[in-house]
Each structure stands twice: as structure tokens, then as C-alpha cells.
Amino acid sequence: MAFLGFTNLYTMRINLSVAIVAMTENRTVLHEDGSVEYEQYFDWSSSLQGHLLSSFFYGYLITQVPGGYLSDKLGGNYVLGVGIGLTAILTLFMPLAAHGGIGWLIGLRVLQGMCEGVAFPCMHTVWSKWAPPLERSRMVMCSFAGVFVGTILAMMVSGILAQAISWESIFYGFGAIGCVWCVAWFLIVKQSPEQDRFITSSEKDYILKSIGRAEGDTRKIKHPWKAILTSKAVIATTVSNFAENWSFYFLLTQLPTFLKEAMHFEVQTTGFVAALPYAAMGISLSIAGYLADWFQVKCILTTTQVRRNFNCLAFVVQTIFMLLGVIILEPIPTISCITIAVAMGSFAWCGYAVNHLDLSPKSAGVLMGISNSAGTIAGICSPIVTGYITTEGTDEEWKLVFYIAALVYLVGLLVYWFWASGELQPWSIEMQEMNASAKDYENQN
């Protein structure tokens, strides 16, 4: 259900990027008198389209930390379900907003971003109560694989729907599927093992013992904000999130343009080729998650070593292949290098993206919110920087963009290598002890 949820989430995030082509393209209109003219559904300038596509991330940034905080207070499964459910409902209103004017559409995209912003922090809160330590990497990577499946589906299916039916059908189709998922999520997924009436006693006991929770533990969570914000381990995950998402969003938004300008691909083929790296990463996520857990189960590496080695190895390989691809600058070798670089991101995710659950399971949602806020800022800045650099679309300009991405990877690598930790943090242990003491005091009085 988590995998399907993230699949739905990203189809509803990406679909506008494809739909906007059909919404603004010149189409042939044949009149009854035999005359032919060309017209657009919406006459939006390229700059206005850019503001529309980026508006999502302003809302997305706002709810990262609040999403993690609310998931602790109300339950991660509830906040996540509401977030995706509202996103689906708003998606159904996208055609109406578009006809109402660009301002309404931008406002709706900001609201969609706010609703989706809770997803990653809330999912970490869910995993903090459901995922045994030796299965965390596999569970988290399995759910995150939906990100890439959703991206690919949105790129491929949206174009087919627009051509076969209409651009409105893109939003109606994905919005309806999102609503169906939301109903199923609330029926199936519970906040914790104790609340699931279908779970076996042995499985419930195993999960609770492995994550160190007693059955019926309902203590309120208090976050040591100063310790969290000054923790080197938290800073390491935050910097790594920024570094990985700098290139991720740069390629997600600019790869088709790069393929057209630097690789001289035809427009019809850029969408298919641009989806290849994300298909590769979707496949590699399951491999990386299995290997990360396997090294811990076999006691070959500690949790800290797994997080550090997987994350930094990924950044090294990504840096090398990003540079190789742009230095060679030939279609097949360059695309192959970019595909390898993107696919290695799955190993980085086994580092920084899972790391929050190691540092403090009780604050994992808030930690993910802080970390993903940095990733969202990278998602906003990276395409803007790329746009300013590639004004002429020359090979030299594109090379500079890739050099900057490689430099960002190297900064993330150094910070994570020296500051990362896979151990439960002292401030998290102290927090648990204070919560326990408070609970005991309440029981005595």
C-alpha cells in the first residue's frame, strides 16, 4: 500500500508536466466552411509555464516539518492518507481551475504541494512503528520505488490519454485512482501493530520487541529541538538529501531539454529516453535495500558502516559518471552514464533516507521533514540555476551544469562521511527516558 501510495503521489505530481504540452500546443481546427486555423487551449508564455510548474514546490516546502510533527500527534497513517486523498481531490479540480485562469491553477498546485509535503515525513513515522531494524532498508526502499514507477507512468500514460481522449482525462484518471487508493489505505493500514486486528500475535510481538516498544505504549513524544538542529548526524542527512535532490530534480526537469539541445534527439523520443534512468533506479532500489539489510543481518557491517558506505559510494560513482557522461557527450555513452548515475541514487537512499529511523525512531518523521525540506530547496534552486546557465543551450553551458552537480555531490560525500551515524542518538535516549519518567509520575498521581 505504501508503494502504491507513492506511485499515486508522483503520477499526480508529474502529470501536469506532460499535460501542459497538450494544453499549450497549437492544434488544427477545421471549420464547417472548410477553412483551417491553428489555436491553443491556453496561450501561456514559457515563463508563465515555468512559474506554474514550480508553484508546486512552494507548497511542498511548507508542510515538511509540520507533517512530521502532526504524524506524531495524530498518527502517520491518518495524516498520510488525508494528504494523498486531498491531493487526489484537488487533481480532479485541475481542469476546472485551468479554465478559470492561470491564477486559480497556480493556487491549486500550491495546495497540492502542501498536501503532498506530509508524505515522506509521515511514512517515516509509520515505519518507526512497523519496521524492524534489520528490515528497515527493504521496507523503505520498497515504498520509495513507487516514486519512480509513478514518474514513469505519468510520463507515458499522460501522453497517451491526452492524444486518445483529452488533456482533462489526465487529471480525472489519476485523481480517481488516487481516491480509490485513499479508501483502501484507511481500510487496510493501521497506525501500529497493536491496532491491526489481522496481525498474528507472534508477528506483533516480534515487531514490538525488535523496535523496543511495549504494547500499549501511548506516551506523548517531545522532540528535543535544540539537540536535533545541532546534531552532526542530522546535519549529515540533511546535506546529503540536498546533494542527491539537486541532481535528481535537475535531471527530472531538464533532461528532455538536454537530450534535445546537446544530444540532438528528436522531441518524440526524448520522453522515452528521459524515463530510462528512473526505470533503472526503480529496479535498483530493491537490490540496494536487500543488500543494506543483508550486510547487517550477517553482521558484516554495522548500521553506521552500512549507511556511510552505501551513501558515500553512491556519491562517488554518481560524481564519476556524471562527469564522464558530459565529457564524452555522445548519445549512447552519455545516456548510459546518466542512467548509471541516477540508478546509484538508490544506494544513497539506503544511507541518508533511511538514516532518520536509526538516529531517533520516535522523531523520525520530524527528522525526515527537516531533511526533505533541504531536498525541496534543492529541487527549487537546481532548475532555476540550470535555466540561467543554459540560455543558449550550448555544450559548454550544459557541461558547467553537470560540473556543478558533481561538486554538490562531493560536498555531500565529505559531510556525510565524517558526520554520519547509524546509532540511536544520546538526545533521543534522553528524550525516551524523560518521557518514561513523566509517564511514571502521571501513573503514580
Side-chain angles (χ1 to χ4, degrees):
M1 288 303 299
F3 165 80
L4 293 175
F6 279 103
T7 299
N8 277 299
L9 206 64
Y10 268 72
T11 58
M12 293 184 288
R13 178 187 299 194
I14 302 297
N15 58 16
L16 180 61
S17 299
V18 181
I20 200 170
V21 176
M23 295 165 73
T24 57
E25 69 178 353
N26 285 316
R27 57 193 178 94
T28 304
V29 179
L30 179 62
H31 295 287
E32 293 181 358
D33 60 1
S35 61
V36 177
E37 66 176 359
Y38 299 94
E39 64 179 35
Q40 298 170 284
Y41 286 110
F42 304 100
D43 184 15
W44 297 333
S45 66
S46 59
S47 60
L48 196 57
Q49 292 179 46
H51 284 294
L52 173 58
L53 292 173
S54 64
S55 59
F56 172 92
F57 293 100
Y58 296 109
Y60 190 71
L61 178 62
I62 293 173
T63 54
Q64 292 291 325
V65 176
Y69 182 79
L70 286 175
S71 66
D72 290 329
K73 295 292 184 181
L74 306 176
N77 62 318
Y78 297 125
V79 181
L80 177 62
V82 170
I84 298 181
L86 288 177
T87 302
I89 293 172
L90 291 172
T91 300
L92 294 174
F93 283 95
M94 288 286 282
L96 181 62
H99 288 295
I102 188 69
W104 286 99
L105 195 56
I106 289 176
L108 201 62
R109 284 294 284 178
V110 172
L111 290 176
Q112 280 188 315
M114 293 177 66
C115 293
E116 286 199 18
V118 305
F120 284 95
C122 286
M123 197 66 242
H124 262 45
T125 300
V126 173
W127 287 135
S128 70
K129 297 181 179 180
W130 276 97
L134 298 181
E135 299 176 37
R136 279 175 183 162
S137 297
R138 278 171 288 175
M139 288 184 169
V140 174
M141 292 303 105
C142 178
S143 60
F144 286 176
V147 168
F148 304 98
V149 174
T151 299
I152 295 167
L153 282 176
M155 287 181 174
M156 297 177 67
V157 177
S158 295
I160 296 173
L161 288 173
Q163 187 174 14
I165 307 175
S166 67
W167 64 265
E168 291 97 336
S169 67
I170 297 173
F171 302 109
Y172 293 142
F174 287 125
I177 294 173
C179 290
V180 172
W181 175 89
C182 181
V183 173
W185 173 264
F186 280 116
L187 291 175
I188 296 172
V189 179
K190 304 303 177 184
Q191 183 176 354
S192 63
E194 302 101 307
Q195 298 178 11
D196 191 333
R197 61 193 181 94
F198 296 107
I199 195 172
T200 63
S201 298
S202 58
E203 183 182 9
K204 180 178 67 175
D205 293 340
Y206 165 71
I207 294 174
L208 293 177
K209 289 178 181 177
S210 65
I211 63 178
R213 282 185 62 234
E215 185 169 357
D217 185 356
T218 58
R219 292 194 298 263
K220 293 182 179 179
I221 298 173
K222 296 181 180 179
H223 305 289
W225 292 104
K226 182 179 179 180
I228 287 174
L229 296 175
T230 57
S231 169
K232 290 183 177 179
V234 174
I235 295 172
T237 62
T238 303
V239 173
S240 289
N241 198 317
F242 181 93
E244 181 63 28
N245 279 286
W246 180 276
S247 291
F248 177 80
Y249 283 110
F250 146 59
L251 291 172
L252 187 65
T253 56
Q254 303 292 333
L255 185 54
T257 305
F258 168 74
L259 293 173
K260 181 177 180 293
E261 294 181 349
M263 297 287 95
H264 309 295
F265 274 79
E266 295 294 331
V267 177
Q268 297 92 319
T269 60
T270 55
F272 173 75
V273 176
L276 288 177
Y278 302 101
M281 188 170 182
I283 296 171
S284 64
L285 277 172
S286 58
I287 300 172
Y290 174 82
L291 287 175
D293 284 338
W294 183 82
F295 278 115
Q296 293 181 78
V297 171
K298 297 297 182 180
C299 298
I300 298 174
L301 297 174
T302 64
T303 302
T304 299
Q305 290 170 334
V306 166
R307 304 294 178 233
R308 179 184 290 128
N309 292 340
F310 273 57
N311 198 101
C312 294
L313 173 64
F315 281 2
V316 168
V317 175
Q318 288 177 305
T319 300
I320 292 172
F321 278 91
M322 290 281 276
L323 291 175
L324 277 177
V326 77
I327 290 172
I328 297 171
L329 214 60
E330 293 291 337
I332 294 178
T334 297
I335 293 168
S336 299
C337 287
I338 291 175
T339 299
I340 293 172
V342 172
M344 284 301 296
S346 60
F347 288 83
W349 282 28
C350 286
Y352 77 86
V354 186
N355 204 181
H356 315 89
L357 291 162
D358 307 316
L359 303 179
S360 178
K362 290 184 178 295
S363 295
V366 167
L367 298 183
M368 185 57 171
I370 295 171
S371 170
N372 218 34
S373 294
T376 304
I377 293 172
I380 295 172
C381 296
S382 177
I384 294 174
V385 171
T386 302
Y388 277 112
I389 293 174
T390 58
T391 54
E392 302 296 328
T394 63
D395 291 352
E396 289 70 26
E397 289 174 343
W398 282 109
K399 285 182 179 181
L400 178 58
V401 171
F402 277 83
Y403 293 155
I404 292 173
L407 178 62
V408 173
Y409 274 134
L410 287 176
V411 172
L413 184 156
L414 291 173
V415 173
Y416 199 82
W417 181 263
F418 289 106
W419 285 2
S421 173
E423 305 303 318
L424 184 66
Q425 295 300 286
W427 44 265
S428 183
I429 298 173
E430 293 171 4
M431 176 183 65
Q432 293 182 35
E433 291 175 347
M434 287 189 295
N435 288 342
S437 299
K439 184 66 175 179
D440 292 338
Y441 178 80
E442 290 175 4
N443 292 336
Q444 291 174 4
N445 293 272

